[in-house]
């Protein structure tokens, strides 16, 4: 008989939906949203509802350990036992360490699963004890936004996304919300039915932009100028809250002096937008109470990414619109009382161990620019071949026979094809885990809804076995998953309401709130956690961390000619996790191009094009549309190499050297290309 189980979605999305999963004869047959999480209210995206069973039970699923028997990248493997796999991993890794030292080992992981255990718990304990090089992962996504937020407001949570439902104005900025922030859109829809307005700022006319009362499409990299112009126009309207600024804002005069260089007309020309649209938005913001700002990931992915985020999140502070109903939907991860040192045990790490930037992966593997060089790589929770910038160099680096590569995965991704040993991982429906979120304030726990298939094991158990094979005797490597859950959060923190994380009821969600049970809100039950105790529009901390120029937001013009390529999320998959399409020939996402640009290049009527720059070339279908402004082209991220006749995707066109102004962030939306007809 079919059985129904509570669960939680582990995919890289801010909503972290609660799920109801039907299992029949050991297979998932139905996935629907549940009401365990009040925010998601039983609604989930089509990707998870329609394609989960294929993802969990599909032909690409890894069921046993594998050893490579063919050339690297050929995908030719033979089954081996777990014991043999662990022996070979130990032998190859310790041989590399014997020659070069432990820092020759590099973990190469990111954010495949978002459960706190599978994401990085026992795995980091293992690499800390091993003495491996550390990996700075945030530069790939998230660190720019985090640095901008913490530099301005400190490590505190912004307002919960539920506030969108009551807003007089929702401002969605660089956030492809209908694809990546579904329940925020539901709240916005509710607000609009009650008479609220929606404004969207995005170079692409996304679905949420098509719903908007006002859509402003700035050229990529110019958001900071738009933020400056809005700050000036709000001042001209008399909308700055002088009393709030005097009490709670640091660096106001310096910030406004910086903004004064970009009045509306000048900023509009640089942004490629209508100056009257800026004035209209400023009027709406001045009038709107409550006001909710929801910035997205797209805002950070360029040379001025940190400055763009800072200029956007400064606006509610200038207006004094930070309270229980108005605010910024950002910083949700700080709502959870995490205990990273207890969970990952950095005390096991030798002092002075180096940290490598994940964006440098291709160069580190291919060119040996550091001493000791990388000679052992562990890929898990990540599909670097598809996701990382400078794709061609990453692939050529992984092709080197002298680098031992171990992969840990659910499915045979194209990255796994370059590994020497592949270990089968259990998925989120087959493992217990604890779920914080980065887009809302509710904590959830999930138990397995079915056993792992074949010989697959949860990440935590895989790294326990690795630790045992490497002879690590510390008791922390014997902690079970319940102990890891309890280590993940600060014990006895009031937001846990006296509950142990490992005993949170499944099928329920615990809201992170104040001691009275009220939702977290800046300037109400949380104050800025900055050095000054104020909202810092000028930040000495950011200047110390990222250079004196970053004390204030600034603007760097584009360095190269050509069309600006942006890479939004897809409604068919989550990054490179394949659910709907993007993994087979003929499924390459189209390149969107404005009619003016197509005509100038003689591409009117052309069905396929080659998109290229100095780093590579990708063949894509062409769609001529005004959904992008002149000078901008767009193609969705996350497609696999097989979709393109050139064997490369748009990640091959993205520079790994170009970095954002804060956090050394990747510039995926700051790529310049040219486009010609495919031969």
């Amino acid at each position: 008989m079919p059985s129904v189980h509570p669960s939680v979605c582990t995919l890289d999305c801010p909503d972290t939906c609660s799920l109801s999963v039907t299992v029949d004869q050991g297979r998932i047959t139905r996935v629907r949203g549940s009401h365990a999480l009040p925010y998601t209210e039983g609604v989930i995206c089509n990707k998870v509802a329609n394609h989960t069973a294929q993802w969990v039970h599909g032909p690409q699923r890894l069921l046993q350990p594998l050893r490579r028997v063919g050339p690297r990248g050929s995908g030719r493997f033979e089954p081996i036992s777990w014991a043999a796999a662990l022996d070979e991993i130990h032998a190859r890794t310790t041989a590399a360490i014997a020659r070069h030292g432990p820092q020759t080992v590099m973990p190469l992981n990111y954010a495949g699963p978002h459960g706190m255990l599978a994401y990085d718990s026992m795995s980091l304990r293992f690499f800390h004890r091993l003495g491996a090089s550390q990996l700075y992962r945030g530069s790939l996504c998230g660190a720019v936004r985090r640095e901008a937020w913490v530099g301005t407001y400190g490590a505190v949570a912004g307002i919960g996304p539920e506030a969108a439902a009551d807003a007089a104005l929702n401002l969605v900025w660089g956030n492809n919300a209908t694809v990546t922030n579904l329940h925020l859109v539901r709240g916005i829809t509710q607000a609009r039915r009650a008479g609220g307005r929606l404004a969207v700022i995005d170079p692409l006319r996304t679905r949420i932009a098509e719903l908007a009362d006002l859509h402003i499409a700035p050229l990529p990299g110019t958001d900071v100028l738009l933020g400056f112009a809005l700050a000036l126009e709000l001042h001209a309207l008399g909308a700055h809250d002088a009393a709030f600024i005097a009490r709670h804002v640091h660096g106001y005069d310096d910030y406004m002096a910086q903004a004064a260089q970009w009045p509306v007309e000048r900023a509009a020309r640089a942004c490629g937008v209508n100056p009257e649209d800026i004035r209209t938005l400023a009027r709406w913001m001045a009038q709107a109470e409550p006001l909710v700002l929801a910035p997205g990931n797209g805002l950070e992915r360029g040379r001025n990414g940190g400055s763009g985020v800072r200029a956007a999140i400064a606006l509610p502070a200038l207006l004094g619109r930070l309270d229980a109903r108005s605010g910024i939907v950002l910083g949700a991860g700080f709502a959870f009382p995490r205990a990273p040192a207890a969970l990952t045990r950095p005390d096991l790490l030798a002092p002075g161990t180096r940290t490598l930037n994940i964006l440098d992966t291709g160069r580190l593997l291919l060119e040996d620019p550091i001493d000791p060089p990388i000679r052992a790589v562990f890929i898990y929770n990540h599909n670097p071949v598809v996701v990382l910038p400078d794709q061609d160099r990453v692939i050529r680096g992984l092709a080197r026979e002298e680098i031992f590569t171990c992969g840990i995965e659910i499915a045979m991704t194209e990255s796994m094809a370059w590994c020497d040993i592949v270990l089968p991982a259990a998925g989120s429906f087959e493992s217990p885990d604890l779920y914080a979120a980065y887009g809302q304030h509710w904590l959830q726990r999930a138990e397995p809804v079915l056993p792992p298939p074949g010989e697959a094991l949860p990440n935590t158990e895989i790294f326990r076995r690795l630790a045992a094979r490497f002879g690590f005797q510390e008791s922390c490597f014997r902690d079970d998953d319940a102990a890891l859950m309890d280590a993940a959060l600060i014990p006895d923190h009031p937001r846990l309401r006296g509950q142990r994380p490992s005993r949170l009821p499944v099928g329920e969600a615990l809201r992170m709130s104040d001691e009275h049970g009220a939702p977290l809100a800046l300037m109400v039950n949380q104050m800025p956690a900055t050095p000054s105790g104020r909202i810092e529009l000028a930040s000495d901390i950011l200047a110390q961390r990222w250079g004196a120029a970053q004390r204030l937001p600034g603007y760097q013009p584009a360095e190269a000619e050509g069309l600006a390529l942006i890479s939004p999320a897809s409604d068919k998959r989550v990054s490179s996790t394949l659910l709907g399409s993007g993994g087979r020939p003929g499924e390459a996402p189209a390149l969107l191009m404005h009619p003016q640009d197509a005509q100038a290049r003689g591409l009117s009527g052309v069905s396929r094009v080659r998109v290229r720059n100095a780093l590579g070339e990708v063949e894509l279908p062409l769609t001529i549309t005004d959904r992008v402004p002149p000078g901008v082209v767009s193609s969705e991220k996350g497609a696999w190499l097989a979709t393109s006749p050139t064997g490369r995707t748009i990640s091959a066109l993205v520079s790994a050297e170009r970095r954002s102004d804060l956090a050394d962030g990747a510039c995926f939306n700051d790529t310049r290309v040219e486009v010609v007809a495919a031969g």
Side-chain angles (χ1 to χ4, degrees):
M1 290 289 293
S3 56
V4 180
H5 307 266
S7 192
V8 180
C9 184
T10 196
L11 298 178
D12 188 359
C13 168
D15 291 2
T16 315
C17 298
S18 61
L19 303 177
S20 178
V21 182
T22 301
V23 177
D24 190 6
Q25 298 182 2
R27 296 179 67 87
I28 292 173
T29 58
R30 180 182 172 95
V31 178
R32 292 292 180 265
S34 82
H35 292 275
L37 177 58
Y39 172 57
T40 59
E41 292 187 294
V43 175
I44 58 173
C45 67
N46 289 332
K47 299 186 287 290
V48 173
N50 296 332
H51 300 291
T52 292
Q54 180 182 1
W55 177 44
V56 173
H57 305 295
Q60 291 289 96
R61 189 68 198 264
L62 293 166
L63 301 176
Q64 56 197 50
L66 302 174
R67 176 194 289 125
R68 178 172 64 90
V69 294
R72 287 212 173 193
S74 67
R76 291 170 53 195
F77 293 90
E78 66 178 7
I80 57 174
S81 68
W82 267 101
L86 293 171
D87 284 347
E88 184 156 343
I89 293 167
H90 177 260
R92 298 284 297 274
T93 303
T94 53
I97 290 173
R99 182 172 182 182
H100 300 287
Q103 293 185 83
T104 197
V105 180
M106 176 182 176
L108 183 51
N109 66 304
Y110 189 60
H114 269 250
M116 297 181 75
L117 272 59
Y119 180 84
D120 243 341
S121 58
M122 191 61 71
S123 50
L124 276 187
R125 292 183 181 188
F126 171 77
F127 289 114
H128 287 153
R129 174 63 175 80
L130 187 66
S133 294
Q134 299 299 286
L135 188 66
Y136 172 48
R137 304 164 182 84
S139 56
L140 187 59
C141 180
V144 175
R145 189 172 67 255
R146 184 186 187 280
E147 286 291 296
W149 176 258
V150 172
T152 306
Y153 290 96
V156 293
I159 201 165
E162 294 91 341
D166 297 316
L169 174 64
N170 277 292
L171 174 54
V172 175
W173 198 329
N175 184 348
N176 191 3
T178 46
V179 172
T180 62
N181 217 170
L182 174 64
H183 298 88
L184 179 73
V185 177
R186 294 175 72 236
I188 290 170
T189 301
Q190 182 177 330
R192 295 188 73 220
R193 287 173 181 160
R197 288 178 169 137
L198 168 63
V200 172
I201 300 173
D202 199 301
L204 176 66
R205 193 172 73 239
T206 58
R207 291 181 188 174
I208 189 70
E210 290 174 346
L211 299 174
D213 301 288
L214 176 65
H215 173 214
I216 300 177
L219 295 171
T222 64
D223 299 89
V224 59
L225 307 183
L226 182 54
F228 283 159
L230 285 167
L232 292 173
E233 188 65 14
L234 288 167
H235 185 269
L237 292 170
H240 286 200
D241 187 331
F244 181 91
I245 290 167
R247 288 195 306 271
H248 299 299
V249 175
H250 169 79
Y252 172 79
D253 290 338
D254 288 347
Y255 182 86
M256 291 306 296
Q258 186 87 328
Q261 303 173 53
W262 294 97
V264 169
E265 296 290 342
R266 184 186 183 207
R269 286 193 298 272
C271 294
V273 303
N274 185 341
E276 288 308 309
D277 287 343
I278 300 177
R279 295 189 175 99
T280 296
L281 179 55
R283 285 197 306 272
W284 290 2
M285 294 179 72
Q287 297 163 2
E289 194 166 355
L291 167 68
V292 173
L293 168 64
N297 294 354
L299 191 54
E300 72 171 41
R301 292 175 176 166
R303 62 193 181 281
N304 303 312
S307 293
V309 176
R310 293 172 73 188
I313 64 178
L315 297 171
L318 298 176
L319 292 166
R321 305 277 168 79
L322 293 164
D323 53 39
R325 301 178 67 213
S326 293
I328 307 164
V329 182
L330 207 61
F334 295 115
F336 303 92
R338 300 173 189 265
L343 181 62
T344 65
R345 297 293 304 273
D347 57 293
L348 297 169
L349 186 65
T353 301
R354 68 188 178 190
T355 297
L356 308 175
N357 191 321
I358 194 170
L359 301 182
D360 291 327
T361 295
R363 183 172 63 89
L364 294 173
L365 295 180
L366 184 62
E367 300 174 10
D368 291 343
I370 55 175
D371 184 23
I374 301 301
R375 288 296 180 266
V377 177
F378 287 73
I379 301 174
Y380 65 104
N381 297 350
H382 188 31
N383 190 5
V385 164
V386 170
V387 174
L388 290 180
D390 202 352
Q391 186 177 74
D392 185 69
R393 191 156 52 171
V394 171
I395 292 171
R396 288 187 290 135
L398 288 172
R400 294 181 64 188
E401 287 284 352
E402 58 267 45
I403 301 176
F404 169 69
T405 307
C406 171
I408 302 169
E409 252 294 1
I410 292 173
M412 180 53 76
T413 67
E414 292 182 350
S415 296
M416 293 298 100
W418 298 95
C419 293
D420 298 293
I421 297 290
V422 177
L423 302 178
S428 61
F429 297 113
E430 303 144 4
S431 311
D433 219 322
L434 189 66
Y435 292 90
Y438 69 89
Q440 42 91 346
H441 299 174
W442 298 81
L443 181 67
Q444 301 175 84
R445 186 174 73 87
E447 287 291 331
V449 305
L450 72 171
E455 299 177 43
L457 295 172
N459 279 6
T460 51
E461 179 59 22
I462 290 173
F463 282 97
R464 282 189 201 96
R465 293 191 180 193
L466 283 167
R469 183 61 188 84
F470 277 73
F472 300 161
Q473 298 299 314
E474 291 82 355
S475 63
C476 66
F477 294 107
R478 295 188 292 276
D479 284 351
D480 62 15
D481 289 345
L484 291 174
M485 289 184 192
D486 290 337
L489 299 172
I490 298 171
D492 303 321
H493 194 283
R495 290 182 190 170
L496 297 180
R497 296 287 187 273
Q499 299 193 60
R500 288 177 59 183
S502 64
R503 295 184 181 177
L504 287 171
V506 295
E508 296 182 18
L510 178 65
R511 190 174 202 164
M512 302 292 100
S513 56
D514 71 10
E515 63 272 20
H516 306 295
L520 301 177
L522 269 168
M523 318 312 294
V524 178
N525 48 28
Q526 296 186 108
M527 298 303 289
T530 58
S532 68
R534 294 177 161 201
I535 300 163
E536 297 195 350
L537 303 188
S539 173
D540 292 331
I541 290 295
L542 293 180
Q544 292 168 14
R545 288 173 61 82
W546 306 110
Q550 303 313 319
R551 180 172 177 270
L552 292 163
Y555 175 67
Q556 306 172 60
E559 299 175 356
E561 299 295 324
L563 297 166
L565 172 66
I566 60 174
S567 49
S570 170
D571 64 353
K572 298 179 178 62
R573 58 193 168 273
V574 178
S575 191
S576 70
T577 301
L578 296 188
L579 296 172
S581 68
R584 295 176 291 273
E587 293 183 346
L591 183 79
L592 308 185
M593 177 183 284
H594 192 275
Q596 291 181 21
D597 294 322
Q599 184 176 13
R601 290 162 177 77
L603 298 176
S604 301
V606 170
S607 62
R608 297 191 68 83
V609 292
R610 290 185 174 252
V611 189
R612 61 194 186 191
N613 59 20
L615 293 175
E617 183 173 271
V618 180
E619 184 173 321
L620 297 173
L622 176 65
T623 297
I624 299 172
T625 174
D626 63 359
R627 290 183 59 207
V628 288
V632 178
V633 290
S634 174
S635 187
E636 295 171 349
K637 67 176 182 176
W640 284 19
L641 307 188
T643 63
S644 173
T646 64
R648 298 292 185 268
T649 67
I650 56 172
S651 292
L653 308 175
V654 180
S655 170
E657 272 73 41
R658 185 175 294 122
R659 304 289 170 84
S660 181
D661 48 359
L662 295 182
D664 284 333
C667 290
F668 285 102
N669 287 345
D670 211 348
T671 297
R672 298 286 164 161
V673 298
E674 262 309 332
V675 182
V676 298

